[in-house]
Amino acid sequence: MKKATVVGAGLVGSLWSVYLAKRGYNVDIFEARPDMRDASLSAGRSINLALSDRGWKALEKVGLGDQIREVAIPMYRRVMHAMDGSLTYQPYGKENQAIWSVSRGGLNRVLMDLAEREGNVKINFEHKCKSVDLEKGSATFTNRNTGEQVVSDNGLLFGTDGAFSAVRKAMQRTDRFNYEQEYIEHGYKELSIHPNEDGTHKLEKNALHIWPRGEFMLIALPNMDGSFTCTLFHPYGGEQGFDALDNDEKVRNFFKSTFPDAYELMPNLMEDWHENPTSSLVIIRCFPWSKNGKVALLGDASHAIVPFYGQGMNAGFEDCTIFEKFLAETNEDWDKAMKLYEEERKPNGDAIADLAMQNFVEMRDLTGDPKFLLRKKIEGKFSTLHPEKWLPLYSMVTFSHIPYAEANAEGKRQAAIMEQVMAMPNIEEKWDSNEVMELMNKLS
Ligand code: FAD
């Protein structure tokens, strides 16, 4: 009988278990937290995520596309909110291209349901991984209620237990394992904008809203119930950093003066502020991602990145797609498939980690800059005229399956070209002229 153990029933672990089950494996999942589908547990705050093409592809493969689309909201453009309340718009891609706002909890529940429906997957909740045997591909878990120790000895073990993975921790103690962890200056806090009384959204529904403010930003993604989940990405230190915002008056004044239009829509600001934690953001890189052809890492356990490209989960889902491809190609030779998987994915994990930091600067600072918006318009026009020559970086990352590392390299080449184009005299007036398009054609 084919058997596997999966540590962590988060987004990636649940999906990967479905893939394994479809290959005929009996899968034992161990998840530290209680079952989030248990109605007696509080529903908690709604937190959403942006799902894009790489994520969709992995979901379509297990037949989930339509079901998720029904509870997802397409966001066709960014709406930037200036200090004076004026709005500017930037489409994400071509007409009808969108990133999709989905409930993190909702998606995780559907994936767990699907895994269990396969018939050969069992999720053991409230079982925390305590130790791992990398030679055997087994792990020991503690039942959080009874303290009982359970050993899962299936000979194949997958660490999908997130950024602070216990499976990875065991690998970290082995020779020649590289590991790097970096907390960025910024943390985040989730806030909300409640729906209108009739259940409609208080801001444009089919958009991702950004209040770019240089060193920091507020963003808002729509939920199905008419609310928005807002996230303040903000430095801990500095005169107005999280640490300095240490009483209600300071928080209110900060919002009133920095995000006046959002503040008007957030009568519940202080309640959210106190209820929701301030959380840190970490980047984790490591290698290898597998051991002995028996243990492998997927998702945040192997590549935790900052959330500014909306790609963490998408990249984790793409891990499943790629791993599955190599399993098929090697006829399920796990040793070979694990090596091929980590060799292909590692440079791409590194690339999306870099791109995500780069996009933070773009979102918090550049989206408020007219020159940047003009550059995007020029690229957009050229790309429409010559799609074979130019796919904007954002589209390569979000609306394609081009490996992240290739997208990153192509993005650098494009940036160098755009520097020359933006240096043309009077570019503001003639941005869509033949002269500009011809120069782009020549350079690209
Ligand atoms: P996780 O979601 O962390 O799941 C790990 C699971 O393992 C959890 O259920 C945990 O309880 C369990 N676990 C942990 N340790 C143990 C243990 N010792 N034993 C047993 N179980 C254990 N990504 C996007 O694609 N789009 C976005 O818009 C986006 N927005 C984000 C916004 C924010 C603020 C943040 C912080 C992240 C965002 N991400 C986004 C990234 C995304 O959340 C992660 O990439 C994704 O959740 C990774 O999934 P995972 O299954 O690998 O890990």
Side-chain angles (χ1 to χ4, degrees):
M1 194 181 25
K2 302 205 284 188
K3 293 185 295 183
T5 306
V6 173
V7 185
L11 294 163
V12 176
S14 304
L15 180 63
W16 183 235
S17 300
V18 177
Y19 276 74
L20 290 171
K22 289 202 182 295
R23 287 197 154 268
Y25 282 81
N26 275 4
V27 185
D28 297 309
I29 312 183
F30 291 86
E31 164 58 48
R33 291 191 280 219
D35 189 348
M36 59 168 72
R37 295 164 301 176
D38 183 342
S40 67
L41 296 172
S42 109
R45 54 209 157 100
S46 33
I47 300 179
N48 44 32
L49 294 153
L51 178 62
S52 49
D53 284 29
R54 295 172 202 263
W56 283 117
K57 182 176 179 182
L59 293 173
E60 301 282 4
K61 176 112 187 156
V62 290
L64 269 186
D66 289 343
Q67 192 180 340
I68 302 298
R69 245 182 306 276
E70 264 174 41
V71 288
I73 300 176
M75 299 179 286
Y76 296 104
R77 58 183 183 173
R78 285 174 172 163
V79 176
M80 275 76 71
H81 296 245
M83 289 279 262
D84 63 5
S86 61
L87 304 179
T88 35
Y89 305 93
Q90 192 196 347
Y92 272 124
K94 288 188 238 136
E95 219 183 333
N96 286 327
Q97 271 183 330
I99 56 175
W100 296 72
S101 176
V102 289
S103 150
R104 171 192 285 272
L107 181 56
N108 210 152
R109 285 185 195 98
V110 170
L111 287 170
M112 285 179 185
D113 283 346
L114 186 71
E116 284 180 340
R117 242 185 294 152
E118 288 295 316
N120 43 352
V121 176
K122 179 169 189 308
I123 313 180
N124 302 277
F125 290 98
E126 299 184 73
H127 278 75
K128 192 170 171 151
C129 179
K130 285 290 172 196
S131 64
V132 172
D133 187 327
L134 298 169
E135 299 289 328
K136 285 195 191 152
S138 69
T140 305
F141 301 87
T142 308
N143 181 324
R144 288 187 138 177
N145 296 316
T146 62
E148 187 195 347
Q149 305 273 307
V150 181
V151 178
S152 181
D153 189 6
N154 286 336
L156 260 184
L157 181 77
F158 298 96
T160 51
D161 46 346
F164 300 98
S165 165
V167 179
R168 190 191 61 233
K169 232 170 259 164
M171 291 179 164
Q172 280 168 237
R173 288 192 281 267
T174 61
D175 192 32
R176 304 201 71 221
F177 186 87
N178 287 323
Y179 175 72
E180 202 183 319
Q181 162 182 316
E182 181 194 351
Y183 283 97
I184 65 164
E185 298 275 320
H186 293 70
Y188 70 96
K189 194 183 261 301
E190 269 137 2
L191 304 163
S192 60
I193 293 175
H194 290 184
N196 289 313
E197 273 181 19
D198 62 0
T200 53
H201 290 82
K202 283 203 170 119
L203 295 168
E204 179 180 323
K205 174 183 170 186
N206 292 106
L208 189 152
H209 296 262
I210 310 182
W211 289 259
R213 295 295 182 262
E215 274 304 295
F216 54 88
M217 67 177 178
L218 179 73
I219 66 166
L221 274 73
N223 295 313
M224 293 293 283
D225 65 0
S227 67
F228 281 87
T229 302
C230 308
T231 312
L232 173 65
F233 292 102
H234 199 58
Y236 282 90
E239 247 169 63
Q240 287 199 307
F242 272 125
D243 296 340
L245 295 175
D246 56 3
N247 68 40
D248 288 13
E249 199 193 338
K250 285 187 197 166
V251 175
R252 278 205 196 92
N253 285 340
F254 169 68
F255 268 79
K256 240 189 261 178
S257 59
T258 318
F259 310 114
D261 58 337
Y263 178 76
E264 290 301 312
L265 305 175
M266 300 169 103
N268 45 303
L269 169 66
M270 290 319 306
E271 222 175 289
D272 286 345
W273 188 271
H274 291 300
E275 223 160 79
N276 300 341
T278 303
S279 307
S280 54
L281 291 168
V282 69
I283 304 168
I284 288 172
R285 299 171 198 258
C286 66
F287 198 75
W289 293 0
S290 76
K291 281 277 167 193
N292 309 321
K294 290 190 173 162
V295 182
L297 305 173
L298 295 91
D300 277 17
S302 42
H303 48 76
I305 63 174
V306 290
F308 307 113
Y309 228 121
Q311 285 295 313
M313 166 191 63
N314 286 290
F317 283 0
E318 193 173 58
D319 289 345
C320 300
T321 310
I322 301 291
F323 211 153
E324 166 64 29
K325 179 187 88 172
F326 288 131
L327 281 178
E329 281 178 17
T330 60
N331 231 341
E332 244 175 64
D333 179 330
W334 281 100
D335 198 29
K336 274 193 197 144
M338 283 185 188
K339 288 215 164 67
L340 289 166
Y341 155 77
E342 67 187 3
E343 272 158 25
E344 164 145 355
R345 292 304 283 165
K346 168 64 177 166
N348 292 316
D350 286 343
I352 192 58
D354 293 341
L355 286 164
M357 268 316 283
Q358 228 169 281
N359 212 44
F360 187 22
V361 178
E362 175 167 328
M363 282 176 91
R364 73 183 197 218
D365 203 0
L366 300 179
T367 52
D369 176 354
K371 273 237 146 158
F372 172 80
L373 296 175
L374 178 64
R375 183 191 141 167
K376 293 285 161 187
K377 278 205 310 205
I378 298 172
E379 280 190 63
K381 163 128 193 192
F382 185 69
S383 170
T384 312
L385 291 175
H386 299 281
E388 75 295 346
K389 281 200 155 179
W390 197 283
L391 186 57
L393 176 60
Y394 189 87
S395 299
M396 284 190 273
V397 170
T398 310
F399 303 123
S400 92
H401 305 284
I402 297 169
Y404 290 125
E406 274 176 38
N408 196 16
E410 174 64 8
K412 287 199 171 93
R413 195 184 71 88
Q414 291 178 345
I417 293 172
M418 288 315 291
E419 221 163 274
Q420 293 187 53
V421 173
M422 293 304 288
M424 290 172 84
N426 301 325
I427 186 70
E428 286 83 0
E429 283 96 61
K430 62 182 181 193
W431 69 270
D432 62 347
S433 64
N434 286 343
E435 185 193 346
V436 172
M437 292 301 127
E438 272 160 26
L439 177 65
M440 289 211 38
N441 203 7
K442 200 173 111 208
L443 294 174
S444 55

